[in-house]
Amino acid sequence: MVQQTPALDLIRLVNGYQISQAIHVAAALGIADHLADEERTSDDLAAATGSHPRTLYRLLRALATTGVFREGQDRRFALTPMGECLRSDAPVSVAPWANLIGRPFEWNAWAHLLHSVRTGENAFRHVHGTGNFDYLSRHPEEQAIFDRAMSAISRRLAPAVLAAYDFSPFRRVVDVGGGTGALLAKILEAHPLLRGVLFDQPHVVARARSVLEAASVINRCEVVGGSFFETVPEGGDAYVLKFILHDWDDAASTAILKACRRAMRVGARLLVLERLIDSPNEGADTKFADLNMLVEPGGLERTPAEFAALFAAAGFRLTRVVPTATPLNVIEGALADAA
Ligand SMILES: C[S@@+](CC[C@H](N)C(=O)[O-])C[C@H]1O[C@@H](n2cnc3c(N)ncnc32)[C@H](O)[C@@H]1O
C-alpha cells in the first residue's frame, strides 16, 4: 500500500489558509464572546450574530475539528482552551489579530506573495498601489482594527519585556511608533516614577488618550504626533522601538534610527524590541513573520548581525541583546561615539 502520510500532511499545510480565514470569520462575528458563559447551539449563535444558521453550523463544525471549539450533541458548541483566547476579554486575546489577518486588504496582499518572491517587491504596494501605513491612514476602520491588533500583541508581550529588562534606571522613556500606547502604559504602570512620551503618526496618537487614561498614566505621559522619518521627541533617556524596524528595509530603518540618534543625548539608550531570525530549520514564528513583513509593510525580520550593522550605519553600537520569555528580544544600543 502506498504511504500517504507525507502527501496528507502536505495537503493539510496547503489548506492552512482555510483554517486562518475560518478563524478570522469566527473572530469577526465574536463567536467566542457569545460562548463565554455557556454552551450554545449554532442556531442560537446565528441569531446572536446575525448569521445564516445552516452556514454558521458548517463553519463551527469545521473549526471544532481544529480544537478552537468543541461540538457536542444537537449542534451545541463550547469553547476549548484555544477558543478562550478568541474572547475579546481574554487576558491574552488573539481575537484582534485574527480579526485583522483575514480582512481583504491584508489577505489580498498575501495572494501576491509570488510577485514578491519573483521581484523582491512589497506585495501590498503591488496590490494597493500604496504602502501599508498610507493605506491605513486613508481607511480609518482598517486603521482601528490594525491598532487594536497591535495593542493586543503589546499587552500580551509587555509582562515578559518588563521581567527581562530593567527600566528603573530611566526617568523619561520615549516610545517611538508606540501606536495607541498599550506598551508604554504597561511600562509606566510598572514604574510609578517614570515619565513617558508616546510618539506616532498624528491620526494614531489621536486615539491613545483612552488607553493611557484606563491605565491611570495619562498624567505622566506626553502624546506627540509626527513622523519618525523627520524628527523624534528629544530628552528621553530610553527610546523604545517595538515592531518598528521590521516594517522597513535597511535604508528606511537607518533613516528612523538616525532621527532617534539626533534626538538622543549621551547616555541615552536605544531599545529595539524585535524577534530575531534563528538558525536553519528553527524559529518558524519569526521566519513566517518575516514573510508577513515582506508582503504587508515591506520590511524584514533580522539576525543579530544585521541589527548590529543597522545600528552602526546610524551611529549606534549594539551593547547587548536581552532575550525575553517570548520571541521578543530587547536589542540595546548606545551612541557609538559615547563612552
Ligand atoms: C507594527 S506597528 C507597531 C506599533 C507599536 N510599537 C506596537 O508594537 O504595538 C508600527 C507603528 O509605526 C507607526 N508608524 C508608521 N509610520 C510612521 C511614521 N512615519 N512616523 C511615526 N510612526 C509611524 C504606525 O502608525 C504603527 O503604530
Side-chain angles (χ1 to χ4, degrees), residues 133 146 150-151 154 177-179 199-201 204 226-229 242-244 246-248:
F133 293 111
F146 178 85
M150 292 305 118
S151 297
S154 277
F199 180 73
D200 204 295
Q201 301 180 90
V204 175
S227 171
F228 49 42
F229 290 112
K242 172 169 163 288
F243 288 163
I244 299 302
H246 77 173
D247 291 339
W248 303 96

